[in-house]
Amino acid sequence: MPADLHYLSLDEVARRLKARKLSSVELTGAMLRRIGEVDSTLGSYATVTADRALADAARLDAETEAGTSRGPLHGVPIAVKDLCNTEGVPTAAGMAIHRGNVPSRDATVVARLKQAGAVILGKLQMTEGAYGAHHPSIPAPLNPWNAAYWTGSSSSGSGAATAAGLCFASLGSDTGGSIRFPSTMNGLSGLKPTWGRVSRAGVFPLAESLDHVGPMARSALDAAIVLGVIAGADPEDPTAVGLPVPDYAASIDQGVRGRRIGLATNMPGLDEDARRALDGAVGALTKAGAAIVEVKLPDGFDQGARDWVPLCGVEAAVAHDATYPSRASEYGPVLAGLLDHGRRLSAMELARMQLRRAALTGELNGLLASVDLLLMPVMGRAVWSTEALLAAGRDPEVVAERLRYTAPFDLSGHPTLTLPGGMTADGVPVGFQIVGKAFEEGLILAAGHAYQRETDWHSRRPPREGRGMRPSHMA
């Protein structure tokens, strides 16, 4: 087996498995050994299900030998964020209060991955309750590119593990940017689907009308493969839309020739790295045949980011009503602060924000009616060091600034794909977003694939990983 097997694309290992050039047991064993070597430093896994993964891999190899294939994920080791219920495996959602929670059934997305033949390596670490900070008793995963830098939240473990070659793809969730932040900080291709495209049944909520579940992978093609498995209607989740699920991977070569891609003229606060990534995207997509046109973001765009915290807070307060404030001492200060904020919100304030949210959604629909796609930064300040993040604190205006280019698309539910588009002088990845119309994930994935045919940012890997700093958590 090649020494860098763990860094092959999901698509490549799937083809090798199908051709029987590689067995799932061999592949899973190699990944588990790498987790044992590397994750003692990174801390990306909350739980590693080694015995279960090897047993599943053996069963899937037997199916392969019998001529049965469950599809492109058959035998491929992946991992899921620790807010997705997994039968018989602890699911804590990053919360000390839920350390003993062992679900009796799988979340729909986990069940669909298993049905498609994926080997689940374990559960990935995350911030407390999927908000903005890790519980004080749970160490935050490290960024494999540069440990001095933020890993992103809340899907921090998903970002670190996928970038460091500890799984071939992962599931994350995004309520205000939690797929996109760790994707940009770790050099991944992360897809926030349209709200309702992927079931949330069995997924611990932060704010249900804002929560999206989606894939985090090393390329647009790999993300397309995973999305095709997890998307679709679900009787367990009445908000999961019953539209047919396209074969996203099969249509990914459609390209962007003749497509109109909007680039806003009113995007304040972009630093040099963020602008460089956007300029590179413009060049590559133009070379691929797209036409870049100037557009203007709606007047309510920035207000949407400011409204996001209280809107998220009030829905989070509902989600935690059984344990907060009755067990407030078991919560970390950041999540507790959000819940307190939400509980103080008046009905009048909430109504005004909901009306602004509806107006913003309509304005973004109108903007996207004039173009095929939008090109956007992920953050105005392209990357954050851990030191700078701590110094910035939780001031609402600072948080709104960081959420400026992500949260509005959670409020509106539009799909976005984050792609790596550069590196800082400190060797940290920089990303950008492609935004599409509702349920047009196929087009944004095709645009991302076209971009990645012209560039190589997605094929770069962290230069090294430290070892031996933290104990891994095996189960």
Side-chain angles (χ1 to χ4, degrees):
M1 292 189 293
D4 60 350
L5 176 69
H6 50 274
Y7 278 144
L8 293 179
S9 70
L10 184 155
D11 176 60
E12 172 64 21
V13 295
R15 285 188 277 111
R16 292 190 186 198
L17 287 164
K18 185 176 182 180
R20 303 187 192 183
K21 296 179 180 178
L22 185 65
S23 76
S24 183
V25 167
E26 291 173 325
L27 185 60
T28 300
M31 296 301 284
L32 289 168
R33 287 191 294 275
R34 180 164 173 81
I35 292 168
E37 294 168 359
V38 173
D39 208 48
S40 57
T41 295
L42 293 183
S44 63
Y45 276 83
T47 304
V48 178
T49 51
D51 292 344
R52 181 179 295 206
L54 287 169
D56 288 344
R59 175 175 49 80
L60 290 160
D61 280 341
E63 291 182 9
T64 300
E65 289 297 319
T68 299
S69 173
R70 295 172 179 248
L73 291 184
H74 188 105
V76 178
I78 68 171
V80 300
K81 187 173 179 178
D82 196 33
L83 48 55
C84 301
N85 284 346
T86 310
E87 180 186 358
V89 178
T91 302
M95 300 180 65
I97 200 171
H98 292 316
R99 278 182 174 139
N101 176 47
V102 180
S104 60
R105 58 185 300 191
D106 290 327
T108 296
V109 288
V110 174
R112 287 177 175 173
L113 289 172
K114 290 180 177 180
Q115 289 161 6
V119 174
I120 308 298
L121 293 170
K123 311 297 291 296
L124 295 165
Q125 198 54 269
M126 55 179 285
T127 57
E128 186 182 18
Y131 190 47
H134 294 82
H135 189 275
S137 68
I138 300 174
L142 300 181
N143 188 314
W145 293 88
N146 187 325
Y149 280 80
W150 189 37
T151 316
S153 63
S154 63
S155 308
S156 52
S158 299
T162 309
L166 307 184
C167 56
F168 290 100
S170 59
L171 293 189
S173 67
D174 194 306
T175 306
S178 294
I179 286 173
R180 289 162 288 168
F181 294 147
S183 291
T184 191
M185 291 299 303
N186 289 280
L188 301 178
S189 302
L191 179 71
K192 180 190 82 68
T194 310
W195 193 83
R197 177 76 282 187
V198 175
S199 171
R200 293 175 293 107
V203 176
F204 190 90
L206 173 55
E208 293 206 47
S209 77
L210 299 167
D211 293 345
H212 305 66
V213 179
M216 296 171 63
R218 298 191 200 124
S219 71
L221 175 57
D222 288 355
I225 292 170
V226 177
L227 180 64
V229 168
I230 63 174
D234 177 18
E236 300 294 323
D237 178 4
T239 69
V241 174
L243 293 172
V245 178
D247 188 337
Y248 299 108
S251 64
I252 205 164
D253 286 322
Q254 67 181 282
V256 290
R257 184 161 301 280
R259 296 291 187 178
R260 289 164 52 85
I261 300 181
L263 182 65
T265 56
N266 57 333
M267 294 191 296
L270 301 190
D271 68 12
E272 187 175 325
D273 287 313
R275 289 189 179 279
R276 190 181 299 116
L278 282 176
D279 290 344
V282 166
L285 291 167
T286 300
K287 186 177 179 182
I292 307 298
V293 298
E294 290 187 352
V295 297
K296 187 176 183 295
L297 294 175
D299 292 339
F301 194 82
D302 283 356
Q303 183 62 48
R306 288 192 290 273
D307 285 345
W308 182 89
V309 171
L311 284 171
C312 178
V314 72
E315 291 194 26
V318 172
H320 290 264
D321 188 49
T323 54
Y324 193 92
S326 61
R327 298 173 66 181
S329 63
E330 298 172 71
Y331 280 72
V334 174
L335 181 56
L338 175 72
L339 301 179
D340 289 337
H341 191 145
R343 294 177 74 89
R344 290 192 301 265
L345 197 67
S346 74
M348 290 286 285
E349 290 172 312
L350 177 60
R352 290 190 184 100
M353 290 177 189
Q354 292 287 25
L355 290 171
R356 288 197 292 265
R357 178 183 183 180
L360 174 61
T361 301
E363 289 170 340
L364 288 171
N365 283 334
L367 173 57
L368 282 159
S370 68
V371 292
D372 295 299
L373 299 163
L374 288 176
L375 195 58
M376 300 287 296
V378 178
M379 296 181 288
R381 181 174 180 169
V383 302
W384 286 79
S385 69
T386 304
E387 183 180 0
L389 199 70
L390 290 171
R394 304 300 304 181
D395 178 86
E397 287 301 315
V398 173
V399 173
E401 180 184 352
R402 193 156 55 246
L403 296 171
R404 170 182 278 155
Y405 297 111
T406 56
F409 299 111
D410 289 291
L411 294 169
S412 68
H414 287 97
T416 93
L417 175 66
T418 296
L419 300 168
M423 300 285 290
T424 70
D426 286 344
V428 180
V430 176
F432 65 93
Q433 297 180 85
I434 300 175
V435 183
K437 299 177 179 69
F439 301 105
E440 290 196 357
E441 287 84 0
L443 179 55
I444 62 174
L445 287 162
H449 186 60
Y451 168 80
Q452 289 180 334
R453 283 186 156 183
E454 301 290 342
T455 63
D456 70 349
W457 298 112
H458 66 290
S459 64
R460 302 191 185 193
R461 302 291 175 248
R464 58 189 176 277
E465 299 91 12
R467 299 174 190 273
M469 292 169 59
R470 292 181 183 160
S472 57
H473 305 285
M474 307 295 286

